[in-house]
């Protein structure tokens, strides 16, 4: 049980560190953390471009995402596009005006990765990749079994 707690606490610390580093982007571009998170998500997840995708995959509240999306549209950083096949589905797309924000986010992501992987050897990073690939595969299989 102790390892489970440590795993969850470690993951939470990673998210908190990233959010703390992302606040630099917020200050620089006059954004809320949710707005920066939405831009970051859309930038890094091609094909996952609806508010529902953001809510599900980033574990954010529907209300917070809705408010953030509306604010980003008002700031001319984001636009809504209706789905051509399902009119109930609305896609979100970053506008060119968001490019300075996405560039700042890229810098923060690079700083974040450099910070958390500092001191690891190439071999350790390869082991890390294999470990997480297996961890995520095991998680996916366990989820599929639990849904039956």
């Amino acid at each position: 049980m102790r390892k489970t707690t440590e795993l969850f606490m470690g993951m939470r610390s990673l998210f908190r560190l990233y959010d703390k580093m992302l606040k630099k982007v917020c200050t620089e571009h006059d954004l809320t953390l949710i707005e920066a998170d939405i831009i970051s998500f859309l930038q890094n997840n091609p094909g996952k471009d609806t508010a529902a995708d953001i809510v599900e995959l980033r574990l954010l509240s529907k209300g917070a995402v809705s408010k953030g999306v509306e604010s980003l549209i008002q700031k001319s950083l984001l636009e809504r596009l209706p789905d051509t096949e399902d009119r109930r589905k609305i896609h979100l797309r970053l506008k060119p005006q968001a490019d300075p924000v996405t560039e700042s986010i890229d810098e923060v992501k690079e700083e974040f990765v450099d910070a958390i992987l500092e001191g690891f050897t190439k071999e350790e990073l390869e082991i890390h990749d294999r470990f997480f690939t297996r961890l995520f595969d095991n998680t996916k299989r366990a989820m599929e079994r639990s849904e039956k």
Side-chain angles (χ1 to χ4, degrees):
M1 186 62 133
R2 184 168 160 257
K3 287 196 185 293
T4 303
T5 301
E6 289 172 2
L7 176 66
F8 287 137
M9 288 177 65
M11 288 173 32
R12 184 173 163 91
S13 292
L14 282 170
F15 288 128
R16 287 190 12 228
L17 174 62
Y18 182 72
D19 285 349
K20 185 176 183 179
M21 294 174 87
L22 196 59
K23 284 182 183 175
K24 178 175 113 180
V25 174
C26 296
T27 302
E28 186 179 336
H29 297 281
D30 193 28
L31 300 169
T32 67
L33 194 53
I34 292 289
E35 291 168 347
D37 209 1
I38 290 168
I39 291 171
S40 178
F41 179 88
L42 292 171
Q43 174 190 15
N44 293 304
N45 295 285
K48 300 289 185 187
D49 61 357
T50 67
D53 291 332
I54 298 167
V55 168
E56 179 185 352
L57 297 172
R58 281 294 289 129
L59 304 175
L60 299 170
S61 79
K62 189 175 180 180
V65 170
S66 179
K67 185 177 176 184
V69 164
E70 195 55 45
S71 178
L72 289 169
I73 289 169
Q74 295 299 315
K75 293 177 181 182
S76 297
L77 299 175
L78 188 66
E79 63 185 338
R80 288 186 184 99
L81 301 167
D83 189 280
T84 55
E85 296 174 12
D86 183 351
R87 62 187 181 101
R88 296 169 298 173
K89 195 177 209 182
I90 303 292
H91 298 278
L92 303 171
R93 182 170 64 192
L94 295 172
K95 294 176 82 173
Q97 293 91 319
D99 288 351
V101 179
T102 60
E103 290 170 15
S104 295
I105 289 171
D106 285 342
E107 291 171 13
V108 165
K109 281 190 333 193
E110 190 173 322
E111 290 171 22
F112 173 73
V113 170
D114 287 349
I116 65 171
L117 298 180
E118 182 181 351
F120 282 90
T121 66
K122 182 180 177 190
E123 292 78 21
E124 288 171 326
L125 292 173
E126 289 169 359
I127 291 168
H128 165 272
D129 286 344
R130 288 195 309 269
F131 172 83
F132 276 98
T133 297
R134 204 155 113 205
L135 179 76
F136 297 145
D137 288 345
N138 289 347
T139 302
K140 184 179 177 184
R141 279 194 301 278
M143 289 292 291
E144 288 167 354
R145 282 194 304 266
S146 72
E147 291 171 1
K148 291 180 182 179

